[in-house]
Amino acid sequence: MTAAKSCGILYVVATPIGNLDDFSARASRVLNEVDLIAAEDTRHSGQLLRAIGCTTPMISLHEHNEGRRVEELVSHLQDGKDVALISDAGTPLISDPGFALVRALIEKDIRVIPVPGACAVISALCVSALPTDRFMFEGFLPAKSGKRRDHLMQLRREPRTMVFYEAPHRIGDSLEELRQVFGDERNAVVCRELTKVHETIYRGTLKQLCELAATDANMSRGEIVIVLAGCECSEDVASTLQAEQVLEVLLQELPASQAAKLAAKLCKVDRAQMYELAVKSKAGR
């Protein structure tokens, strides 16, 4: 009796974020040797594969079809076929599809192997000149202003360096909201078109970057990563930031005066300051 064929392997393969010279020999070899490539956009990835002379068949796997593709790819792997997962650029699963697939494979004891390479998060962080010993990746900020501000308010006390992706047409608005939430003097870096011909890195305070966004049209073009310095705040400032977070929650249910009174009492901060913030917050909604 013939022994059952063992399962194949899923290779999570990083691809260049712009410069094709960043494509590793190992990544190229894996893509040529696997039986199937699951690509976020087969048309986009087709250009990359042609550049490296790869003729491996492709199948699409993106945010709109990942749920139904998982079962199909699991079947291929259980039949002993090796599969490579790639995104449009950079490392799969980092604000790109693939999480549902990887989780399903691990639950079925199917081997998953990383083939590391370019990642916009790490590339931006390592040239930011901001602390890199501890950082957090927040992905894309919410598209709507209200939700974006609420999300940023939750990060007011975050001491780690923060990394965000942002769409080019929202960079001006997002920088302005970052300035309003974190203050004029918080340091940040905007990295545009990393590793590409028009790579540009803007460094400065949030106030300076907002001014640049208003005058430099190039800042709103291409792929963008924002790196933001973490909070270096005293105990008093930390208490105020905590009170502001509490206040934002209370304002969803209470008038400004009551919300300010409760926030001040709970966090032991100045009531007048809380009321002023509450009125501004209500006006901005």
Side-chain angles (χ1 to χ4, degrees), residues 77-254:
L77 289 155
Q78 288 178 330
D79 286 342
K81 295 179 179 178
D82 291 333
V83 178
L85 172 66
I86 61 175
S87 60
D88 286 348
T91 302
L93 281 76
I94 308 302
S95 279
D96 279 327
F99 171 71
L101 175 62
V102 170
R103 182 168 61 178
L105 297 184
I106 296 303
E107 290 174 351
K108 295 180 181 298
D109 291 324
I110 295 176
R111 193 175 179 193
V112 179
I113 293 179
V115 181
C119 178
V121 177
I122 302 303
S123 298
L125 186 67
C126 70
V127 298
S128 67
L130 296 175
T132 58
D133 53 337
R134 298 175 66 225
F135 68 93
M136 63 186 295
F137 173 53
E138 284 291 303
F140 282 95
L141 288 167
K144 294 186 178 179
S145 178
K147 290 184 178 180
R148 187 162 61 231
R149 184 179 178 84
D150 289 345
H151 182 75
L152 292 175
M153 288 297 293
Q154 296 174 24
L155 302 175
R156 286 286 302 276
R157 298 173 62 196
E158 176 54 56
R160 294 170 292 181
T161 299
M162 292 163 272
V163 186
F164 307 90
Y165 285 162
E166 189 50 283
H169 65 278
R170 288 198 297 265
I171 184 63
D173 291 341
S174 291
L175 284 172
E176 179 58 31
E177 287 189 341
L178 284 167
R179 185 190 66 77
Q180 291 175 9
V181 172
F182 296 97
D184 289 349
E185 301 307 312
R186 181 73 67 94
N187 287 317
V189 178
V190 174
C191 299
R192 184 181 78 89
E193 293 287 86
L194 285 170
T195 80
K196 300 176 185 176
V197 173
H198 298 294
E199 175 181 281
T200 312
I201 300 174
Y202 304 86
R203 297 182 178 87
T205 64
L206 286 172
K207 181 180 179 181
Q208 291 169 334
L209 291 173
C210 284
E211 292 170 350
L212 279 172
T215 58
D216 187 344
N218 286 326
M219 191 185 281
S220 60
R221 297 189 177 111
E223 302 291 330
I224 293 174
V225 185
I226 302 172
V227 187
L228 178 70
C231 177
E232 298 179 2
C233 52
S234 65
E235 188 174 337
D236 288 343
V237 173
S239 295
T240 301
L241 292 175
Q242 182 181 34
E244 290 177 9
Q245 291 178 319
V246 171
L247 180 65
E248 288 295 320
V249 175
L250 294 173
L251 283 172
Q252 296 176 21
E253 305 292 339
L254 299 172

Side-chain angles (χ1 to χ4, degrees), residues 35-48:
D35 300 290
L36 183 67
I37 296 172
E40 184 178 2
D41 184 331
T42 55
R43 292 169 299 179
H44 179 91
S45 295
Q47 299 175 33
L48 172 67

